[in-house]
Amino acid sequence: MSKFGVLALACLMFWSCGTDNGTAENETENENSITMINTETINGKEVKTFELKNKNGTTIHITNYGAIVTKMLVADKEGNLENIVLGFDSVSEYQQNGYYFGATAGRYANRIAKGRFSIDGEAFQLTTNDGQNHLHGGNEGFNEVVWEAESFEDNSGVGVRMVYVSPDGEEGYPGELTTTATFSLDDNDVLTILYEASTDKATIVNITHHGYFNLSAMKEDILNHELTIYGDHYTPVDETLIPTGDIVEVNNTPFDFTSAHKIGERIAQVEGGYDHNYVITKEYTGDLKKQAELYHSGSGRLLEVHSDAPGVQFYSGNFLDGAQGTDGNTYNKHTGLCLEPQFFPDSPNQPNFPSASLKPGETYSHRIELHFKTR
Ligand code: BGC
């Protein structure tokens, strides 16, 4: 047999000749890493993008502009790493668009009716940036400010810690609020996001991660994704998406995701599409719970959302309208969906909802875990 023939036979026997052995090599050689992949100056402040990578190759990009997660490269069932979140290539595109892609939403994520609330009889008026209502912290929320950032490495993995000090009165909120957002990735493919805040005056706080997921890596829309939400009640809304104050059972309605359903199955029965808060616990306990599970059978990717917040907003990307994003993708209606752990919308005006108030001396703490798996 010729030398070439022997090589070909050996290749067949081991099946792993050529590029196929790349995966095995990566498995043994990959280490955790944090790399700064880009810096630019915005309003005189340094904006950096960090790349967190674990030994499986799972890769998260985070910028300190808005504490935004810009990319999540996650394996499908064949081991292919692809980006599963909507985003943009440049900070200026995040500045121009109001979708809150991958953003840290705060001080108060979601809506506050007419931007009004009171604490101990004192009335406050927030900026109104969503018709007559206040949404996701106002005109310049946490997603549009530059955070101080530093990377770290510890026993559990690699991460970035960011701090933003919001002045008293910013967007109408009382109290100087110091917020820390810590993002860390471990070798079990869990991205943990911890938001902590303290104030010098009584105020309200509700901070969340506003990622838009598409587990097919944008190859199709999210209507075939299967969703489970571990909450058997939801908070119905009026025509401006403010809760009516009722807490209603999902049983026998198109809102029932207590067992897995394709998102497209009943979406036509929900006017405008899903954009609703699900009640995980009516009484806030502060315990970490699995809130939701999202599965895409084509890729085998599965995402679990865990949080210690009492609610989760399921938003089916109804207002996406053709923006051009990362990797040349076009983001149309239902290209991505959000699962945003949170206090219920408009809690400061709804006495029967868990309270989002924060007083001096207390620490607001919200932990979110995104578990990436395949099935
Ligand atoms: C809200 C949507 C809103 C979107 C903005 C979601 O959290 O529920 O109503 O349009 O954020 O991007």
Side-chain angles (χ1 to χ4, degrees), residues 83-84 86 212-218 220-222 225 335-336:
N83 180 29
I84 59 152
L86 278 58
Y212 285 67
F213 300 99
N214 181 321
L215 302 183
S216 80
M218 276 49 92
E220 56 183 86
D221 65 29
I222 49 87
H225 284 42
T335 298

Side-chain angles (χ1 to χ4, degrees), residues 77-335:
K77 61 185 170 193
E78 314 289 348
N80 300 311
L81 292 165
E82 290 172 305
N83 180 29
I84 59 152
V85 292
L86 278 58
F88 294 115
D89 288 320
S90 67
V91 167
S92 60
E93 287 163 287
Y94 283 100
Q95 288 178 310
Q96 284 154 27
N97 286 281
Y99 305 105
Y100 299 85
F101 287 156
T104 292
R107 294 186 186 192
Y108 198 96
N110 216 311
R111 294 178 172 80
I112 295 180
K114 301 193 172 83
R116 291 185 199 144
F117 66 100
S118 34
I119 300 175
D120 299 330
E122 190 181 348
F124 296 95
Q125 176 67 59
L126 303 173
T127 49
T128 49
N129 59 326
D130 185 59
Q132 60 181 5
N133 299 324
H134 177 87
L135 175 68
H136 297 328
N139 291 325
E140 263 199 24
F142 282 0
N143 60 305
E144 291 190 75
V145 296
V146 179
W147 297 57
E148 295 295 322
E150 60 175 31
S151 58
F152 65 88
E153 200 162 347
D154 62 20
N155 295 342
S156 58
V158 284
V160 182
R161 185 171 296 112
M162 304 196 187
V163 180
Y164 175 64
V165 181
S166 172
D168 186 9
E170 190 171 47
E171 301 289 336
Y173 288 100
E176 181 185 272
L177 191 79
T178 302
T179 301
T180 307
T182 309
F183 300 83
S184 53
L185 176 67
D186 70 15
D187 283 336
N188 298 317
D189 293 328
V190 177
L191 176 68
T192 300
I193 307 174
L194 178 65
Y195 298 115
E196 292 170 299
S198 58
T199 182
D200 63 359
K201 284 184 191 158
T203 191
I204 53 169
V205 184
N206 181 31
I207 306 172
T208 196
H209 173 66
H210 201 288
Y212 285 67
F213 300 99
N214 181 321
L215 302 183
S216 80
M218 276 49 92
K219 293 191 181 74
E220 56 183 86
D221 65 29
I222 49 87
L223 296 179
N224 267 323
H225 284 42
E226 291 163 40
L227 178 65
T228 311
I229 301 179
Y230 299 92
D232 50 15
H233 287 74
Y234 78 110
T235 50
V237 286
D238 69 14
E239 63 287 350
T240 71
L241 298 175
I242 294 291
T244 58
D246 299 327
I247 295 182
V248 170
E249 279 191 37
V250 293
N251 194 16
N252 290 322
T253 75
F255 296 100
D256 189 351
F257 285 94
T258 51
S259 60
H261 282 272
K262 287 197 170 167
I263 290 164
E265 190 186 314
R266 300 159 301 176
I267 197 169
Q269 299 167 44
V270 180
E271 210 191 322
Y274 295 101
D275 197 354
H276 294 82
N277 170 65
Y278 281 74
V279 176
I280 305 296
T281 54
K282 282 190 215 168
E283 313 289 322
Y284 174 50
T285 60
D287 296 329
L288 193 74
K289 290 198 166 73
K290 179 151 89 165
Q291 294 194 326
E293 188 171 294
L294 184 67
Y295 178 62
H296 174 248
S297 60
S299 64
R301 288 193 183 92
L302 188 148
L303 168 72
E304 290 177 6
V305 178
H306 299 234
S307 158
D308 50 19
V312 63
Q313 183 85 5
F314 166 37
Y315 169 55
S316 53
N318 315 321
F319 299 119
L320 294 172
D321 55 1
Q324 298 286 313
T326 313
D327 301 328
N329 284 309
T330 304
Y331 302 141
N332 293 315
K333 188 171 182 175
H334 310 315
T335 298

Side-chain angles (χ1 to χ4, degrees), residues 58-76:
T58 303
T59 304
I60 309 290
H61 288 187
I62 306 171
T63 165
N64 65 327
Y65 176 78
I68 292 172
V69 176
T70 57
K71 277 190 182 177
M72 293 188 186
L73 302 177
V74 172
D76 66 6

Side-chain angles (χ1 to χ4, degrees), residues 49-61:
T49 303
F50 297 88
E51 179 181 86
L52 309 182
K53 195 169 184 175
N54 72 9
K55 73 169 175 27
N56 310 321
T58 303
T59 304
I60 309 290
H61 288 187

